[in-house]
Amino acid sequence: MPIVAVLAAAIFAMQAFNLPVGMGTSGHLVGGALAAIILGSPFAAVFILTIVLIIQGVIFGDGGITTMGVNIINMGVIGGFVGFYGFVGLKKVIRNPYVSAGIAAWFACFLPALAASFELWIAGTFPLVPGLIAMGTYHAAIGVIEAFITGIAVYLIWKARPDLDWTARKTEIPTGEPGKVAAA
């Protein structure tokens, strides 16, 4: 539980820095990949991002209440699942967990931004092509920062607390479903 609280606080702080993208939107770090990788489950990312987004929307008015559902889908579900499964797949190829975490984090920042662009276009509040270009460009750059932070954070956390490194266990790999593991 303390790790969940620390990750939620760190992700809250990471998301506090917004860059104006234009057309009424902003860009920021996501943190879904970090939570999913450290805790070994994309569901953990959904849980943590939901808590963070509720606190931001209800207490601080950041992100809003009416958009909370799509924000949870984008950052928690898409960010968490892309981050976790991207990490698992990349680690099999690259064999370096920290580089794999960074690359997965980049995708987990970039893809939710593109999803948000489509959602804003469907809502009629955003032009599709200029929106995709703006959100994609900003989040491609922001994703580099997220990749660096995630790779370093995973390295530091797993070095300080090797018991949290679920990838070091040769016999069990989390499947993403609570309580279920697969053989390595």
Side-chain angles (χ1 to χ4, degrees), residues 33 78-79 82-83 86 90 101-113 139 143 146-147:
I78 296 172
V82 166
L90 286 164
I103 295 170
W106 184 88
F107 280 106
C109 179
F110 182 71
L111 294 177
H139 284 85
E146 180 139 1

Side-chain angles (χ1 to χ4, degrees), residues 139-179:
H139 284 85
I142 292 168
V144 172
I145 298 166
E146 180 139 1
F148 182 75
I149 290 171
T150 301
I152 295 292
V154 169
Y155 173 80
L156 293 173
I157 291 168
W158 284 354
K159 289 299 175 192
R161 291 278 312 271
D163 58 305
L164 294 176
D165 183 358
W166 53 269
T167 66
R169 296 182 205 121
K170 299 294 181 200
T171 57
E172 297 179 347
I173 298 173
T175 61
E177 296 181 45

